[in-house]
Amino acid sequence: MQRETPQDEIITALDKHAKDIQRGNPETSLSVAVIRDGQVEFIRLYDKSNRGKTVKGAQEPIFEVASLGKPVFAYLTLKLVDLDILSLERPLYQYAPDLFKSADPRLKRITARMLLSHTSGLTNFDEKDPLKLRFDPGTEFTYSGSGYALLQQVLERRTGLNLETLARIHVFEPLGMASTSFLWQHAYNYRIRYGYDKDGDRITGKRKPTTGNAAWSLHTTAGDYARFLAAMMDEGVEPEVKEWMLSKHKTITGKISWSMGWGIQATKPNSSIWHWGSNPGYRSYTVGYPEEDLGIVVLSNNEKLFEGIEPLILHTIGGTLPSYHWF
């Protein structure tokens, strides 16, 4: 683990791998933020005009980060639980009965805890039957963006506020995430990095969400997301919320578990939290070591880059990534 390594040595290792990736994919943008000792230590940008430049603020490009929005939404939800606005254990059917209209009575047993930990049994965006269950709620793990979208609707009903407003009040503004949104912002037109598919072709028709979706619509910068990750690893602030997010809730394999929001992987010397993001044209990954106060955020706009991101992370901050080939 690179806890004590001088910053210039870390940047040298990062530059080598990132420039190799960018050289082989010249249209690619790669943004990397490193966290040490609870702080965002630096943010580096690699693209056609900046092959290794330290950036901050409005210099940072915007990326669509897909499922990296799920830990953000989980944190928002758990803050509302901490405020007694929502219960983790009360069946959500009791808050919004109309959202659970189905012939399957098991849906009435689903709780916020189950949705946040992907143990509700709901499938992942089945357009024909969005409330289809694969198993009894609370018994097994199956990754479900549909579950997060359903919980979003419950929160919006419960509070009378939309997702973007709730996130801005409880997450973005308190953590200084000024460039982050679940909705398309006008300024993104000038800062977005458009996506490329696995063949290296630019994807046309960029989605610009006018309605937030907790499962996929988050847009952010590496620096903003690193501030979020650093806050998640600070267990001295909001300890109960952090315990919910950093503790194993469901064991999946010998090395992979899930909390209410993060994947948890068995790494040495201590476990780490992680998540990935994968939408058309974008690939992202983040990992944090709470005990070591060490983490990294890697955002990219090219589907081809996912394999190359793994060695970049390992050579920049060290550690292991048993989750990387699991999902």
Side-chain angles (χ1 to χ4, degrees):
M1 305 296 295
Q2 306 293 355
R3 294 182 64 191
E4 308 296 335
T5 305
Q7 184 185 112
D8 61 338
E9 292 183 21
I10 291 180
I11 289 177
T12 297
L14 169 60
D15 280 356
K16 178 184 182 302
H17 287 273
K19 288 179 181 179
D20 284 346
I21 291 172
Q22 209 279 325
R23 195 175 296 116
N25 302 274
E27 300 299 324
T28 290
S29 291
L30 193 67
S31 194
V32 182
V34 169
I35 302 154
R36 291 201 296 182
D37 298 324
Q39 302 294 322
V40 181
E41 188 165 326
F42 63 83
I43 306 151
R44 300 281 280 179
L45 174 63
Y46 306 86
D47 59 17
K48 285 192 296 185
S49 57
N50 300 290
R51 291 189 175 177
K53 176 184 178 181
T54 297
V55 293
K56 61 180 179 180
Q59 295 175 316
E60 286 194 77
I62 300 293
F63 293 83
E64 183 178 323
V65 297
S67 291
L68 289 193
K70 291 186 176 74
V72 174
F73 176 71
Y75 175 56
L76 164 62
T77 300
L78 292 171
K79 284 175 72 74
L80 296 180
V81 169
D82 201 41
L83 292 170
D84 292 326
I85 294 173
L86 190 78
S87 167
L88 284 174
E89 315 303 344
R90 182 179 176 182
L92 296 175
Y93 168 82
Q94 296 179 16
Y95 292 115
D98 60 304
L99 295 178
F100 294 83
K101 288 182 178 178
S102 170
D104 193 332
R106 296 177 298 172
L107 289 166
K108 295 181 180 181
R109 307 205 306 258
I110 291 175
T111 65
R113 180 186 295 273
M114 294 174 192
L115 293 176
L116 291 175
S117 60
H118 298 287
T119 57
S120 69
L122 287 172
T123 55
N124 191 32
F125 290 121
D126 186 325
E127 294 184 3
K128 293 183 179 179
D129 187 0
L131 293 178
K132 182 179 179 180
L133 289 175
R134 295 184 61 187
F135 48 76
D136 286 345
T139 59
E140 299 180 43
F141 177 92
T142 187
Y143 188 81
S144 176
S146 301
Y148 272 62
L150 178 61
L151 183 54
Q152 173 189 336
Q153 292 182 73
V154 174
L155 286 189
E156 291 175 334
R157 295 280 189 89
R158 185 74 173 151
T159 62
L161 299 172
N162 63 30
L163 171 62
E164 179 69 12
T165 302
L166 288 168
R168 196 147 300 282
I169 292 170
H170 295 284
V171 186
F172 301 155
E173 291 185 2
L175 298 184
M177 300 170 70
S179 295
T180 301
S181 179
F182 282 103
L183 303 178
W184 185 259
Q185 304 295 318
H186 179 70
Y188 290 174
N189 288 308
Y190 307 98
R191 297 175 62 189
I192 190 68
R193 290 302 191 263
Y194 290 98
Y196 289 80
D197 64 22
K198 64 182 184 306
D199 296 318
D201 297 323
R202 178 172 160 174
I203 294 177
T204 59
K206 170 75 179 75
R207 293 186 293 185
K208 298 181 177 181
T210 57
T211 301
N213 188 300
W216 68 264
S217 74
L218 191 71
H219 286 70
T220 190
T221 65
D224 268 11
Y225 205 87
R227 281 182 275 279
F228 170 70
L229 179 59
M232 294 306 95
M233 296 192 292
D234 184 357
E235 299 177 67
V237 178
E238 302 172 314
E240 187 169 11
V241 172
K242 302 300 171 53
E243 183 178 358
W244 285 328
M245 292 201 73
L246 301 179
S247 300
K248 295 179 183 178
H249 180 75
K250 184 65 176 179
T251 299
I252 304 167
T253 72
K255 293 187 175 182
I256 306 296
S257 303
W258 218 270
S259 72
M260 284 186 282
W262 290 105
I264 299 179
Q265 55 190 346
T267 47
K268 295 181 180 180
N270 298 290
S271 63
S272 57
I273 57 176
W274 65 278
H275 216 287
W276 79 100
S278 177
N279 271 2
Y282 297 92
R283 295 292 185 270
S284 305
Y285 186 90
T286 186
V287 59
Y289 295 81
E291 294 296 323
E292 288 72 31
D293 247 348
L294 179 69
I296 191 169
V297 177
V298 183
L299 309 183
S300 80
N301 66 334
N302 192 319
E303 296 178 11
K304 295 167 60 179
L305 299 193
F306 204 67
E307 292 301 318
I309 289 173
E310 180 185 19
L312 180 150
I313 292 173
L314 297 178
H315 284 89
T316 302
I317 66 167
T320 57
L321 300 174
S323 65
Y324 211 85
H325 299 281
W326 167 74
F327 52 85

